[in-house]
Amino acid sequence: MRGAKSAKWVAGAIVVALAATACGGGDSDSGDDMNAGKADPNGILVAQLGEPQNPLQPANAKESQGSRVLRTIFSGLVDYEPGTGKLTYINAESVTPNADSSVWTVKLKPGWKFHDGSTVTAKSYVDSWNWSANVKNNQTNSSWFQDIKGYADVHPEKGEPKTAAMSGLKVVDDNTFSITLSGPVSYFAYKLGYDVWAPLPEGFFKDPKGYGEKPIGNGPYKFEAWDHKKLIKVRKFDGYTGPNKAKNGGIDFKNYTTAEAAYSALRSDQLDWIEQVPVTALKNYKQDLGDRAIDQEYSAVQSIVPAFYTPQWKNINPKVIQGLSMAIDRDTITKTVLNGTREPADSYVARGVLGYKAGALGDVTKFDAAKAKALITEGGGVPGNKISIQFNADQPHKAWVDAVCNSIRQATGVECTGDSKPDFQTDLNARDQKKVKSMYRGGWVLDYPVNSNFMRDLYGTTAAGNTSGYSNKEFDELSAQADKAKTLDETVKMYQQAEQLLKADMPSIPLWFYKNNSGQSRNVFGKIVYGQDGDPLFSDVQVKAKK
């Protein structure tokens, strides 16, 4: 999710470029000029990271923490140009469809190496995808391969796999392979930028568990060490031949138990990049950091999600969830509690993504206390007249969860409380193990810039990102039809129709669109550039030479 990137758990003219306004100014402790001095090509960047949920295997991260590390260690076939979203080739020389987009041919740039010195070949990709799709290997993102012909043979709904390889994958030669899909998918090339499609070296298949702890990739950085819940180290790979060579010597991904602790470390230059400024600092952080403050929108949506497998929400009338949505005063919460750093959501799809339609959800996301109460009553009421919202305490969520609960309580009389988990890993594990008591905080960041990623990959019955137990046969069927449309435009329009099904069914309650309210230390040379997923382009970050 890239799915759930906060629960993840940009091509050409098809993407609406987001405004990238890095704000600062006023009195601050920003100190020296960001461009003063010179860059050290071997300088180490210190960046904030929570503990990844799973081992560092490409198909085993649907959340932002594991993805953030994997993207430094592995390079895939394609990526997206920051600002425009244009599809760019990384390890691929070309990705070409046939006439109806049901068969794709991939040609690799020759000569690429894994960090162990072995060569990256077409077989490296085919073997990786077959292993990752196999149900026996229990990869959290295995459903991403379901478009490929033969997926059901390696990943049956029940029982053992019929074969170890999908029939749709064929190695043509060392640098060429073909992908036959079970049906046309007009936007398949855009999906290939996600972590799940990375190649794996031969040694991986002899010891997947060991490689998950000490991964060997083909990216700009090689893995060095992982001290669980404390630190992950990656260092520049001198043999990297891709276009995004590291301009620094490596990254220390450092764990902090609270956003406040991370922010304090940033201000004292012990941390060079922070994921998110704590809510308590949003009012003053631009003054605190000056030109080093970041205020930039990116393609992500915050939501709260009912756990439909619980007795409370199983077979619930959607009117109840619609009523809860209309009981949330998004305008006031984003302006006050969140200090204007978010924009109320009006769609399931993030802005800047092809197919986003302003106002797609109509009045369902507009505050109306009387209508909210009436809808909940018409729907039979909230079972138990009480809800809780699960969230992770290692990021700044408590303040807005409390505000959402207060709004619901005051508008409808439904009791609402926060259900705090110590960290993101614990939060995600509770979702995956279906142990959420009532509702949970959902946050979805784009994996690829098409509206299907915010619908099929999150609300499809078999989607890896679907941890709520939601299922709608009509939505699944319309999604399948949309994927088979002849053109990308047709696909997008059909997913816009599918969004109206979601509006009626309410698989989640969208709250607001994210902004990257972040900052960098005095150790960073120049301004950090961000991708449409809200993360820095780490290989481009330069570290100042020590005086």
Side-chain angles (χ1 to χ4, degrees):
M1 294 180 221
R2 224 155 134 20
K5 246 207 130 178
S6 227
K8 211 161 172 197
W9 260 313
V10 177
I14 76 160
V15 177
V16 179
L18 294 170
T21 55
C23 300
D27 295 331
S28 72
D29 66 1
S30 60
D32 55 0
D33 184 350
M34 288 185 295
N35 296 306
K38 61 180 182 179
D40 178 3
N42 296 312
I44 303 301
L45 182 76
V46 183
Q48 184 186 8
L49 185 83
E51 176 75 357
Q53 183 189 16
N54 297 316
L56 293 172
Q57 300 156 325
N60 217 5
K62 63 180 176 184
E63 40 77 37
S64 58
Q65 310 307 301
S67 279
R68 188 169 294 145
V69 180
L70 285 167
R71 283 179 198 152
T72 66
I73 299 170
F74 290 90
S75 284
L77 297 168
V78 303
D79 202 353
Y80 314 105
E81 188 177 272
T84 67
K86 180 181 178 181
L87 194 70
T88 59
Y89 292 125
I90 304 298
N91 196 184
E93 191 171 275
S94 63
V95 180
T96 309
N98 67 347
D100 71 350
S101 299
S102 64
V103 180
W104 296 73
T105 300
V106 176
K107 290 187 178 295
L108 302 178
K109 294 173 182 175
W112 273 54
K113 300 291 184 181
F114 285 107
H115 302 150
D116 62 0
S118 61
T119 303
V120 179
T121 66
K123 189 174 184 293
S124 307
Y125 281 92
V126 169
D127 287 352
S128 172
W129 299 1
N130 280 324
W131 185 91
S132 299
N134 195 308
V135 68
K136 293 171 66 175
N137 297 321
N138 197 31
Q139 297 293 283
T140 190
N141 275 332
S142 56
S143 66
W144 276 76
F145 301 98
Q146 63 187 347
D147 290 326
I148 299 173
K149 187 177 180 181
Y151 172 78
D153 293 332
V154 302
H155 199 109
E157 290 186 18
K158 294 180 181 179
E160 293 289 307
K162 294 180 181 178
T163 179
M166 291 179 280
S167 59
L169 297 178
K170 300 291 183 186
V171 173
V172 178
D173 57 43
D174 279 353
N175 294 310
T176 311
F177 66 101
S178 64
I179 311 163
T180 300
L181 308 180
S182 55
V185 179
S186 60
Y187 58 94
F188 187 73
Y190 301 117
K191 299 180 74 169
L192 295 175
Y194 188 29
D195 316 333
V196 72
W197 305 98
L200 288 167
E202 276 191 38
F204 172 90
F205 306 103
K206 299 173 185 176
D207 184 16
K209 184 177 179 181
Y211 274 64
E213 289 294 313
K214 297 179 179 180
I216 291 176
N218 67 323
Y221 298 90
K222 59 183 179 180
F223 173 85
E224 183 167 289
W226 185 358
D227 187 356
H228 284 274
K229 296 198 173 183
K230 293 181 181 179
L231 182 70
I232 295 177
K233 292 184 178 184
V234 299
R235 293 296 180 261
K236 177 168 60 178
F237 176 48
D238 291 329
Y240 185 67
T241 55
N244 53 328
K245 293 182 180 181
K247 296 178 181 178
N248 52 63
I251 308 166
D252 284 354
F253 288 107
K254 195 171 182 181
N255 184 279
Y256 289 85
T257 55
T258 67
E260 286 75 14
Y263 186 59
S264 178
L266 179 80
R267 292 190 65 183
S268 62
D269 297 320
Q270 298 173 58
L271 178 65
D272 297 325
W273 174 77
I274 187 174
E275 183 170 9
Q276 190 70 31
V277 171
V279 172
T280 52
L282 284 176
K283 186 176 181 180
N284 297 317
Y285 88 102
K286 293 178 185 176
Q287 188 174 12
D288 291 343
L289 301 177
D291 290 340
R292 294 183 291 110
I294 305 297
D295 181 8
Q296 179 176 325
E297 189 172 341
Y298 64 103
S299 295
V301 182
Q302 182 83 80
S303 61
I304 51 177
V305 187
F308 291 99
Y309 51 80
T310 62
Q312 182 176 41
W313 300 112
K314 194 173 184 178
N315 300 319
I316 195 75
N317 188 320
K319 286 185 178 181
V320 174
I321 306 174
Q322 290 172 346
L324 290 172
S325 177
M326 296 188 74
I328 300 169
D329 190 348
R330 294 165 178 78
D331 285 334
T332 298
I333 294 171
T334 54
K335 288 175 183 175
T336 56
V337 177
L338 297 171
N339 282 282
T341 60
R342 304 287 186 275
E343 290 291 332
D346 55 4
S347 170
Y348 280 108
V349 179
R351 297 198 297 202
V353 172
L354 181 65
Y356 163 73
K357 190 174 183 180
L361 298 184
D363 292 339
V364 173
T365 55
K366 294 179 181 177
F367 178 64
D368 187 329
K371 182 67 172 176
K373 200 167 186 176
L375 280 168
I376 291 172
T377 301
E378 289 172 26
V382 173
N385 204 45
K386 180 179 180 179
I387 63 173
S388 63
I389 302 172
Q390 178 178 298
F391 67 95
N392 52 302
D394 58 344
Q395 286 295 321
H397 300 303
K398 185 179 186 303
W400 70 256
V401 169
D402 288 346
V404 166
C405 277
N406 287 336
S407 186
I408 289 172
R409 188 184 305 110
Q410 292 171 13
T412 66
V414 174
E415 183 56 37
C416 179
T417 57
D419 180 11
S420 175
K421 302 301 177 187
D423 51 42
F424 197 30
Q425 184 186 44
T426 305
D427 174 32
L428 291 170
N429 287 340
R431 301 186 206 178
D432 288 345
Q433 295 164 14
K434 300 193 181 303
K435 292 183 178 179
V436 175
K437 298 171 185 175
S438 177
M439 308 179 88
Y440 61 85
R441 176 199 74 83
W444 191 261
V445 182
L446 94 166
D447 301 309
Y448 55 92
V450 182
N451 59 354
S452 57
N453 183 226
F454 285 81
M455 287 185 270
R456 169 188 155 169
D457 296 323
L458 193 52
Y459 303 117
T461 299
T462 60
N466 185 345
T467 54
S468 70
Y470 173 77
S471 181
N472 181 323
K473 185 177 179 181
E474 188 178 0
F475 172 78
D476 290 341
E477 290 174 349
L478 185 53
S479 297
Q481 292 172 23
D483 286 348
K484 294 175 183 177
K486 292 181 178 179
T487 67
L488 183 58
D489 284 345
E490 290 178 72
T491 293
V492 167
K493 288 176 182 176
M494 291 181 75
Y495 269 108
Q496 288 175 330
Q497 296 173 31
E499 186 171 14
Q500 294 308 301
L501 290 179
L502 297 182
K503 174 185 174 182
D505 221 17
M506 293 300 286
S508 72
I509 299 174
L511 296 176
W512 37 76
F513 298 123
Y514 273 90
K515 272 190 173 184
N516 191 341
N517 304 107
S518 179
Q520 62 189 61
S521 79
R522 297 178 183 87
N523 301 325
V524 175
F525 185 85
K527 198 75 173 178
I528 291 177
V529 177
Y530 289 79
Q532 199 174 339
D533 62 0
D535 266 6
L537 303 182
F538 283 114
S539 59
D540 280 350
V541 178
Q542 295 179 290
V543 178
K544 286 185 179 180
K546 295 186 184 298
K547 296 178 181 178

